[in-house]
Amino acid sequence: MQRKIQVINVQKMETMKNVSLLILTLLIAFNYGCDEELVYDAIEEANPVIESFEPTSGSYGDEITIKGDHLGSANMIYFGDSLATIKYRISNNEVVAKLEKGSVSGYITVSNTVGSVSSASEFTVVYAVPTIADFTDQQVLPNSVFKIEGDNLEVVYDVYFGSSKANIVEKTDDFFLVEVPFFEEDEEPANVSLSYNNNGILEQVQSIGKISLYRILPSFSVIPNQGVTGSEIVFEGENLTLIDEMLFNGQSASFTVNDDGTELVVILGEDLFSVSASEVTVKASYFGGTQEEMLSESFEVVVPTVNYYSGIKLNSGC
Protein backbone atom coordinates (compact mmCIF):
# COMPACT_ATOMS: atom_id res chain seq x y z
CA MET A 1 0.00 0.00 0.00
CA GLN A 2 2.82 2.39 0.87
CA ARG A 3 4.61 1.68 -2.45
CA LYS A 4 1.45 2.49 -4.39
CA ILE A 5 1.16 5.87 -2.65
CA GLN A 6 4.79 6.66 -3.48
CA VAL A 7 4.21 5.82 -7.15
CA ILE A 8 1.16 8.09 -7.25
CA ASN A 9 3.13 10.94 -5.64
CA VAL A 10 5.95 10.53 -8.17
CA GLN A 11 3.43 10.64 -11.01
CA LYS A 12 1.90 13.83 -9.58
CA MET A 13 5.32 15.45 -9.34
CA GLU A 14 6.12 14.51 -12.95
CA THR A 15 2.76 15.94 -14.08
CA MET A 16 3.37 19.21 -12.22
CA LYS A 17 6.85 19.42 -13.71
CA ASN A 18 5.47 18.95 -17.24
CA VAL A 19 2.79 21.60 -16.64
CA SER A 20 5.42 24.05 -15.39
CA LEU A 21 7.57 23.45 -18.46
CA LEU A 22 4.54 23.96 -20.71
CA ILE A 23 3.67 27.28 -19.01
CA LEU A 24 7.28 28.46 -19.30
CA THR A 25 7.35 27.54 -23.00
CA LEU A 26 4.09 29.42 -23.64
CA LEU A 27 5.39 32.51 -21.83
CA ILE A 28 8.56 32.52 -23.92
CA ALA A 29 6.57 32.07 -27.14
CA PHE A 30 4.17 34.87 -26.14
CA ASN A 31 7.01 37.28 -25.41
CA TYR A 32 8.73 36.40 -28.66
CA GLY A 33 5.58 37.06 -30.67
CA CYS A 34 4.67 40.37 -29.03
CA ASP A 35 7.93 42.09 -28.19
CA GLU A 36 9.80 43.81 -30.99
CA GLU A 37 12.83 44.46 -28.78
CA LEU A 38 14.04 40.85 -28.60
CA VAL A 39 17.61 41.27 -27.38
CA TYR A 40 18.61 38.36 -25.18
CA ASP A 41 22.37 38.80 -25.41
CA ALA A 42 24.24 41.43 -23.46
CA ILE A 43 24.66 44.44 -25.76
CA GLU A 44 28.24 45.54 -26.15
CA GLU A 45 28.69 49.08 -27.41
CA ALA A 46 31.00 48.88 -30.41
CA ASN A 47 30.97 49.58 -34.13
CA PRO A 48 28.35 47.39 -35.83
CA VAL A 49 29.48 44.68 -38.23
CA ILE A 50 27.44 43.37 -41.19
CA GLU A 51 28.32 39.83 -42.24
CA SER A 52 25.26 38.97 -44.35
CA PHE A 53 21.66 39.91 -45.13
CA GLU A 54 18.74 38.03 -46.61
CA PRO A 55 16.91 38.19 -48.85
CA THR A 56 19.20 40.20 -51.12
CA SER A 57 16.27 41.90 -52.87
CA GLY A 58 12.77 42.92 -51.87
CA SER A 59 9.88 45.34 -52.20
CA TYR A 60 8.17 47.97 -50.05
CA GLY A 61 6.94 46.37 -46.81
CA ASP A 62 9.35 43.39 -46.93
CA GLU A 63 11.40 42.50 -43.85
CA ILE A 64 15.15 41.98 -44.29
CA THR A 65 17.26 40.04 -41.78
CA ILE A 66 20.75 41.44 -41.19
CA LYS A 67 23.37 39.33 -39.39
CA GLY A 68 26.73 40.32 -37.96
CA ASP A 69 27.96 41.72 -34.67
CA HIS A 70 26.99 44.59 -32.34
CA LEU A 71 23.61 44.91 -34.09
CA GLY A 72 21.49 44.89 -30.93
CA SER A 73 22.30 48.56 -30.32
CA ALA A 74 21.41 49.67 -33.87
CA ASN A 75 19.40 52.90 -33.91
CA MET A 76 19.27 53.58 -37.67
CA ILE A 77 19.31 51.37 -40.76
CA TYR A 78 19.42 52.69 -44.32
CA PHE A 79 18.86 50.96 -47.64
CA GLY A 80 20.71 53.22 -50.02
CA ASP A 81 19.63 56.71 -48.97
CA SER A 82 16.29 55.53 -47.57
CA LEU A 83 15.68 55.13 -43.85
CA ALA A 84 14.18 51.76 -42.93
CA THR A 85 12.15 50.78 -39.88
CA ILE A 86 13.93 48.62 -37.29
CA LYS A 87 11.32 45.92 -36.82
CA TYR A 88 13.04 43.45 -34.47
CA ARG A 89 16.32 43.40 -32.57
CA ILE A 90 16.64 39.63 -32.30
CA SER A 91 20.04 39.59 -30.61
CA ASN A 92 23.38 41.33 -30.63
CA ASN A 93 24.09 39.43 -33.85
CA GLU A 94 20.79 39.79 -35.69
CA VAL A 95 18.36 42.58 -36.53
CA VAL A 96 15.34 42.78 -38.84
CA ALA A 97 14.52 45.92 -40.86
CA LYS A 98 11.40 46.77 -42.86
CA LEU A 99 11.58 48.48 -46.27
CA GLU A 100 9.59 51.70 -46.40
CA LYS A 101 7.87 53.39 -49.32
CA GLY A 102 10.35 55.16 -51.57
CA SER A 103 13.28 52.88 -50.71
CA VAL A 104 15.99 52.70 -53.36
CA SER A 105 18.60 50.10 -54.22
CA GLY A 106 21.98 50.50 -52.56
CA TYR A 107 24.25 49.44 -49.73
CA ILE A 108 22.75 48.67 -46.32
CA THR A 109 24.09 50.95 -43.58
CA VAL A 110 23.66 50.17 -39.88
CA SER A 111 24.42 52.83 -37.27
CA ASN A 112 24.57 52.94 -33.49
CA THR A 113 25.90 55.45 -30.97
CA VAL A 114 29.49 54.33 -31.61
CA GLY A 115 29.62 54.34 -35.39
CA SER A 116 28.23 52.90 -38.61
CA VAL A 117 29.04 50.30 -41.22
CA SER A 118 27.87 49.55 -44.76
CA SER A 119 27.35 46.16 -46.35
CA ALA A 120 29.90 44.77 -48.80
CA SER A 121 27.23 44.29 -51.48
CA GLU A 122 24.13 46.23 -52.52
CA PHE A 123 20.53 45.42 -51.72
CA THR A 124 18.21 45.51 -54.74
CA VAL A 125 14.80 47.10 -54.32
CA VAL A 126 12.19 45.54 -56.59
CA TYR A 127 9.60 48.14 -57.48
CA ALA A 128 5.98 47.20 -57.83
CA VAL A 129 4.25 48.76 -60.82
CA PRO A 130 0.74 50.07 -60.06
CA THR A 131 -2.10 49.15 -62.38
CA ILE A 132 -5.47 50.81 -62.93
CA ALA A 133 -8.55 48.62 -63.25
CA ASP A 134 -10.40 49.19 -66.53
CA PHE A 135 -13.33 51.58 -66.48
CA THR A 136 -15.59 52.79 -69.28
CA ASP A 137 -15.25 56.30 -70.68
CA GLN A 138 -17.42 58.62 -68.63
CA GLN A 139 -18.33 62.20 -67.84
CA VAL A 140 -17.99 63.56 -64.31
CA LEU A 141 -18.42 66.88 -62.55
CA PRO A 142 -15.35 68.85 -61.48
CA ASN A 143 -14.76 68.51 -57.72
CA SER A 144 -16.83 65.31 -57.60
CA VAL A 145 -15.31 62.25 -55.91
CA PHE A 146 -14.04 59.58 -58.32
CA LYS A 147 -12.98 56.05 -57.34
CA ILE A 148 -9.88 54.51 -58.92
CA GLU A 149 -9.31 50.79 -58.38
CA GLY A 150 -6.22 48.73 -59.16
CA ASP A 151 -3.22 46.87 -57.77
CA ASN A 152 -0.02 48.00 -56.02
CA LEU A 153 -1.53 51.43 -55.40
CA GLU A 154 0.45 51.80 -52.16
CA VAL A 155 3.47 52.95 -54.22
CA VAL A 156 1.56 55.79 -55.92
CA TYR A 157 2.51 59.38 -55.09
CA ASP A 158 0.12 61.48 -57.21
CA VAL A 159 -2.97 61.14 -59.40
CA TYR A 160 -3.56 63.22 -62.54
CA PHE A 161 -6.47 63.81 -64.90
CA GLY A 162 -4.72 64.88 -68.06
CA SER A 163 -2.08 67.30 -66.77
CA SER A 164 -4.14 68.42 -63.75
CA LYS A 165 -3.28 67.00 -60.34
CA ALA A 166 -6.16 65.54 -58.31
CA ASN A 167 -6.61 65.85 -54.57
CA ILE A 168 -6.47 62.40 -52.90
CA VAL A 169 -9.35 62.08 -50.43
CA GLU A 170 -8.74 58.47 -49.33
CA LYS A 171 -6.06 55.95 -50.21
CA THR A 172 -5.75 52.19 -49.65
CA ASP A 173 -3.67 49.46 -51.26
CA ASP A 174 -6.36 48.70 -53.85
CA PHE A 175 -8.36 51.90 -54.41
CA PHE A 176 -8.21 55.70 -54.34
CA LEU A 177 -10.93 58.27 -53.80
CA VAL A 178 -9.94 61.53 -55.51
CA GLU A 179 -11.55 64.88 -56.24
CA VAL A 180 -11.77 65.37 -59.99
CA PRO A 181 -9.79 68.51 -60.92
CA PHE A 182 -10.90 71.01 -63.52
CA PHE A 183 -8.93 70.59 -66.75
CA GLU A 184 -9.07 72.45 -70.02
CA GLU A 185 -11.45 71.40 -72.75
CA ASP A 186 -8.64 70.76 -75.24
CA GLU A 187 -7.41 67.93 -72.95
CA GLU A 188 -10.68 66.02 -73.20
CA PRO A 189 -11.10 63.14 -73.02
CA ALA A 190 -8.31 62.79 -70.44
CA ASN A 191 -6.52 59.70 -69.17
CA VAL A 192 -6.11 59.09 -65.46
CA SER A 193 -2.39 58.82 -64.64
CA LEU A 194 -0.64 57.50 -61.53
CA SER A 195 2.91 58.61 -60.71
CA TYR A 196 5.10 56.21 -58.74
CA ASN A 197 8.72 55.72 -57.70
CA ASN A 198 10.80 53.39 -59.85
CA ASN A 199 14.25 53.18 -58.24
CA GLY A 200 14.30 56.90 -57.50
CA ILE A 201 12.72 57.92 -60.81
CA LEU A 202 9.09 59.08 -60.96
CA GLU A 203 7.21 57.28 -63.71
CA GLN A 204 3.55 57.14 -64.73
CA VAL A 205 0.98 54.56 -65.76
CA GLN A 206 -2.20 55.60 -67.56
CA SER A 207 -5.74 54.34 -67.60
CA ILE A 208 -7.34 52.88 -70.70
CA GLY A 209 -10.64 54.56 -69.89
CA LYS A 210 -10.93 58.31 -70.37
CA ILE A 211 -12.67 61.07 -68.44
CA SER A 212 -14.59 64.08 -69.74
CA LEU A 213 -16.12 66.86 -67.66
CA TYR A 214 -19.69 67.99 -67.41
CA ARG A 215 -18.94 71.63 -68.08
CA ILE A 216 -21.86 73.00 -66.12
CA LEU A 217 -21.00 76.51 -64.97
CA PRO A 218 -22.52 78.64 -62.23
CA SER A 219 -24.39 81.69 -63.48
CA PHE A 220 -25.64 84.77 -61.62
CA SER A 221 -28.89 86.58 -62.42
CA VAL A 222 -29.10 88.90 -59.38
CA ILE A 223 -25.92 90.59 -58.14
CA PRO A 224 -26.30 93.15 -55.31
CA ASN A 225 -24.27 96.35 -55.65
CA GLN A 226 -24.15 97.33 -51.97
CA GLY A 227 -24.01 95.73 -48.54
CA VAL A 228 -23.56 96.61 -44.88
CA THR A 229 -20.96 94.78 -42.81
CA GLY A 230 -22.50 92.40 -40.33
CA SER A 231 -25.50 91.83 -42.60
CA GLU A 232 -26.41 89.27 -45.26
CA ILE A 233 -26.56 89.90 -48.99
CA VAL A 234 -28.32 87.59 -51.42
CA PHE A 235 -27.11 86.53 -54.88
CA GLU A 236 -29.38 84.58 -57.21
CA GLY A 237 -28.63 82.37 -60.19
CA GLU A 238 -28.17 78.76 -61.32
CA ASN A 239 -25.75 75.99 -60.28
CA LEU A 240 -24.47 78.10 -57.39
CA THR A 241 -23.60 74.95 -55.41
CA LEU A 242 -20.46 74.81 -57.59
CA ILE A 243 -19.11 77.97 -55.94
CA ASP A 244 -16.09 77.35 -53.69
CA GLU A 245 -15.37 80.91 -52.54
CA MET A 246 -16.85 84.39 -52.64
CA LEU A 247 -14.02 86.91 -52.68
CA PHE A 248 -14.35 90.57 -51.68
CA ASN A 249 -11.14 92.34 -52.68
CA GLY A 250 -9.51 88.92 -52.55
CA GLN A 251 -10.74 88.15 -49.03
CA SER A 252 -12.93 85.11 -48.56
CA ALA A 253 -16.40 85.72 -47.10
CA SER A 254 -18.63 83.12 -45.44
CA PHE A 255 -21.66 82.04 -47.45
CA THR A 256 -24.40 79.43 -47.72
CA VAL A 257 -26.22 78.03 -50.76
CA ASN A 258 -29.71 76.53 -50.86
CA ASP A 259 -30.19 72.94 -52.01
CA ASP A 260 -31.25 73.71 -55.58
CA GLY A 261 -28.33 76.09 -56.11
CA THR A 262 -30.44 79.14 -56.96
CA GLU A 263 -29.67 81.35 -53.94
CA LEU A 264 -26.33 82.20 -52.36
CA VAL A 265 -26.26 84.21 -49.13
CA VAL A 266 -23.02 85.98 -48.15
CA ILE A 267 -22.34 87.10 -44.60
CA LEU A 268 -20.31 90.31 -44.73
CA GLY A 269 -18.09 89.86 -41.70
CA GLU A 270 -17.03 93.02 -39.92
CA ASP A 271 -13.41 91.86 -40.04
CA LEU A 272 -13.37 91.98 -43.85
CA PHE A 273 -13.24 95.76 -44.15
CA SER A 274 -11.74 98.53 -42.08
CA VAL A 275 -12.97 101.69 -43.79
CA SER A 276 -16.35 103.33 -43.27
CA ALA A 277 -17.34 103.04 -46.93
CA SER A 278 -15.44 101.53 -49.84
CA GLU A 279 -15.86 100.05 -53.29
CA VAL A 280 -14.45 96.57 -53.69
CA THR A 281 -14.31 93.85 -56.31
CA VAL A 282 -16.46 90.75 -55.94
CA LYS A 283 -15.42 87.45 -57.52
CA ALA A 284 -16.85 83.94 -57.44
CA SER A 285 -14.34 81.08 -57.43
CA TYR A 286 -15.21 77.53 -58.46
CA PHE A 287 -13.76 74.21 -59.66
CA GLY A 288 -11.29 74.10 -56.80
CA GLY A 289 -10.10 77.66 -57.34
CA THR A 290 -9.10 77.02 -60.95
CA GLN A 291 -11.84 79.29 -62.32
CA GLU A 292 -12.96 82.77 -61.24
CA GLU A 293 -15.73 85.06 -62.42
CA MET A 294 -15.78 88.81 -61.81
CA LEU A 295 -19.23 89.74 -60.48
CA SER A 296 -18.64 93.39 -59.62
CA GLU A 297 -15.75 95.83 -59.82
CA SER A 298 -17.46 98.46 -57.65
CA PHE A 299 -19.45 96.76 -54.91
CA GLU A 300 -20.05 99.31 -52.14
CA VAL A 301 -19.40 98.10 -48.63
CA VAL A 302 -20.83 100.25 -45.86
CA VAL A 303 -19.38 99.96 -42.37
CA PRO A 304 -21.77 101.46 -39.78
CA THR A 305 -20.18 104.23 -37.72
CA VAL A 306 -20.86 105.09 -34.09
CA ASN A 307 -21.09 108.83 -33.29
CA TYR A 308 -20.10 110.07 -29.86
CA TYR A 309 -21.54 113.34 -28.50
CA SER A 310 -20.14 115.31 -25.58
CA GLY A 311 -21.67 118.05 -23.46
CA ILE A 312 -25.17 116.56 -23.50
CA LYS A 313 -26.94 116.31 -20.16
CA LEU A 314 -29.60 113.72 -19.72
CA ASN A 315 -32.61 114.57 -17.57
CA SER A 316 -32.93 111.80 -15.05
CA GLY A 317 -36.33 113.06 -13.89
CA CYS A 318 -35.09 113.66 -10.36
Side-chain angles (χ1 to χ4, degrees):
M1 184 69 177
Q2 187 174 1
R3 178 177 176 80
K4 185 176 181 181
I5 292 173
Q6 288 178 343
V7 171
I8 292 172
N9 287 337
V10 169
Q11 289 176 342
K12 286 184 177 179
M13 291 175 64
E14 287 295 325
T15 301
M16 292 176 64
K17 181 179 178 182
N18 291 336
V19 170
S20 298
L21 287 173
L22 177 61
I23 292 173
L24 180 60
T25 302
L26 290 173
L27 286 173
I28 292 173
F30 176 78
N31 287 331
Y32 186 85
C34 298
D35 188 1
E36 294 191 354
E37 299 292 329
L38 302 176
V39 181
Y40 296 115
D41 299 342
I43 296 176
E44 180 184 350
E45 289 290 337
N47 277 318
V49 176
I50 298 176
E51 295 177 353
S52 65
F53 57 87
E54 59 179 8
T56 57
S57 63
S59 302
Y60 159 70
D62 288 351
E63 294 180 2
I64 313 302
T65 300
I66 304 168
K67 295 182 179 181
D69 203 3
H70 309 302
L71 301 178
S73 59
N75 53 25
M76 285 190 296
I77 297 178
Y78 283 86
F79 287 77
D81 295 329
S82 305
L83 183 64
T85 298
I86 299 176
K87 189 69 176 176
Y88 306 107
R89 294 177 178 87
I90 303 297
S91 69
N92 206 32
N93 305 108
E94 187 174 347
V95 66
V96 177
K98 178 184 175 183
L99 285 175
E100 295 299 332
K101 179 182 176 182
S103 296
V104 296
S105 300
Y107 295 99
I108 298 175
T109 302
V110 178
S111 300
N112 61 16
T113 56
V114 177
S116 62
V117 66
S118 295
S119 58
S121 58
E122 292 191 13
F123 179 87
T124 302
V125 177
V126 179
Y127 295 92
V129 177
T131 60
I132 303 174
D134 290 345
F135 58 84
T136 56
D137 293 357
Q138 53 191 284
Q139 279 189 308
V140 295
L141 279 170
N143 284 8
S144 62
V145 176
F146 185 77
K147 186 175 184 179
I148 301 169
E149 296 180 290
D151 294 319
N152 301 321
L153 299 184
E154 70 278 359
V155 301
V156 172
Y157 281 88
D158 294 308
V159 179
Y160 291 87
F161 287 67
S163 61
S164 299
K165 185 177 177 179
N167 178 43
I168 298 174
V169 177
E170 183 179 347
K171 178 180 178 181
T172 71
D173 290 351
D174 51 14
F175 77 86
F176 282 112
L177 294 180
V178 299
E179 290 181 352
V180 178
F182 179 84
F183 50 88
E184 298 300 331
E185 198 165 358
D186 58 8
E187 289 193 83
E188 287 191 341
N191 293 98
V192 176
S193 302
L194 308 179
S195 66
Y196 66 100
N197 176 22
N198 185 4
N199 201 16
I201 300 173
L202 282 179
E203 297 188 357
Q204 286 191 340
V205 293
Q206 289 189 338
S207 64
I208 297 174
K210 295 179 181 292
I211 299 294
S212 299
L213 296 181
Y214 284 116
R215 297 189 178 272
I216 301 173
L217 301 177
S219 61
F220 290 84
S221 57
V222 175
I223 300 173
N225 57 19
Q226 186 185 69
V228 179
T229 57
S231 66
E232 297 180 347
I233 54 173
V234 179
F235 294 79
E236 295 180 9
E238 299 290 335
N239 305 316
L240 300 185
T241 53
L242 296 175
I243 300 298
D244 297 319
E245 279 190 300
M246 293 293 290
L247 303 170
F248 288 73
N249 261 11
Q251 297 187 75
S252 183
S254 299
F255 68 91
T256 59
V257 183
N258 63 356
D259 292 339
D260 60 7
T262 58
E263 185 177 276
L264 184 149
V265 179
V266 173
I267 298 91
L268 286 181
E270 295 180 4
D271 57 338
L272 284 176
F273 313 99
S274 58
V275 294
S276 59
S278 60
E279 289 187 348
V280 299
T281 59
V282 180
K283 293 181 181 179
S285 173
Y286 48 94
F287 294 160
T290 60
Q291 302 293 301
E292 286 185 350
E293 180 180 347
M294 177 69 74
L295 302 180
S296 175
E297 294 184 348
S298 57
F299 181 88
E300 185 180 2
V301 177
V302 179
V303 179
T305 58
V306 178
N307 296 318
Y308 296 92
Y309 298 94
S310 61
I312 298 177
K313 293 183 179 180
L314 298 177
N315 187 353
S316 64
C318 298

